[in-house]
Amino acid sequence: SAVISQKPSRDICQRGTSLTIQCQVDSQVTMMFWYRQQPGQSLTLIATANQGSEATYESGFVIDKFPISRPNLTFSTLTVSNMSPEDSSIYLCSVDGGSDTQYFGPGTRLTVL
Amino acid sequence: QKEVEQDPGPLSVPEGAIVSLNCTYSNSAFQYFMWYRQYSRKGPELLMYTYSSGNKEDGRFTAQVDKSSKYISLFIRDSQPSDSATYLCACKINTGTASKLTFGTGTRLQVTL
């Protein structure tokens, strides 16, 4: 299975600021995914990021709020822009592991004050 | 109605008990089913996946799928305190170009000594 790391592991941010979360994989992968996990709720897919193309966003998520970069096959970033307390959540990246599996990183715990 | 429903628990059992965790889904197009385990402050870890009705066993874990009833289960035999975690079921429609997972909310399990 792929080894995935995320930075930062946690952060406390002020309202109106932006935070960029990094996701690094130890092997080349075609597809990377960004999820949000809010307390008491299921993991929700924000967007799918393929290298060399624009990210595909799920309903309710827009590029202006969650811009994503995918510069190569082992790295991606998710930016949470103009943050509000409602953005407080755990943000997770995952990768397509083949054989219909998906592997997750450890998550970034974000608190917005 | 959520596409994937899961009892949030918490579920508390004594060590050695057999645990049954369950999910129901509404989308007949789901073909792949997974169970993830998530320890506190960690990312989800893939436990098992299956794509056919019936049982799949891996050590103390058995995944069961009943597509006619749209019902999936995870059984844990001889439960251990180290099994204490949140268990997430996930379903997938394999489109061939995207591996979007739809998750349940997770069931929190506590195995007591």
Side-chain angles (χ1 to χ4, degrees), chain B residues 1-7 22-27 30 69-72 89 91 104:
Chain B
Q1 181 189 11
K2 294 180 181 178
E3 285 192 284
V4 181
E5 299 274 3
Q6 186 174 7
D7 187 335
N22 308 296
C23 288
T24 58
Y25 62 93
S26 59
N27 191 341
F30 287 140
S69 301
K70 300 188 181 68
Y71 196 85
I72 55 178
C89 63
C91 306

Side-chain angles (χ1 to χ4, degrees), chain A residues 8-52:
Chain A
S9 59
R10 61 191 310 152
D11 208 340
I12 300 173
C13 301
Q14 295 298 318
R15 181 196 300 261
T17 62
S18 298
L19 176 72
T20 296
I21 302 168
Q22 299 178 7
C23 180
Q24 180 76 51
V25 191
D26 69 341
S27 58
Q28 294 184 340
V29 294
T30 304
M31 303 179 72
M32 297 180 76
F33 308 87
W34 287 97
Y35 286 84
R36 183 172 71 182
Q37 186 176 30
Q38 294 181 309
Q41 298 187 27
S42 56
L43 274 77
T44 303
L45 181 65
I46 297 172
T48 301
N50 286 341
Q51 193 269 335

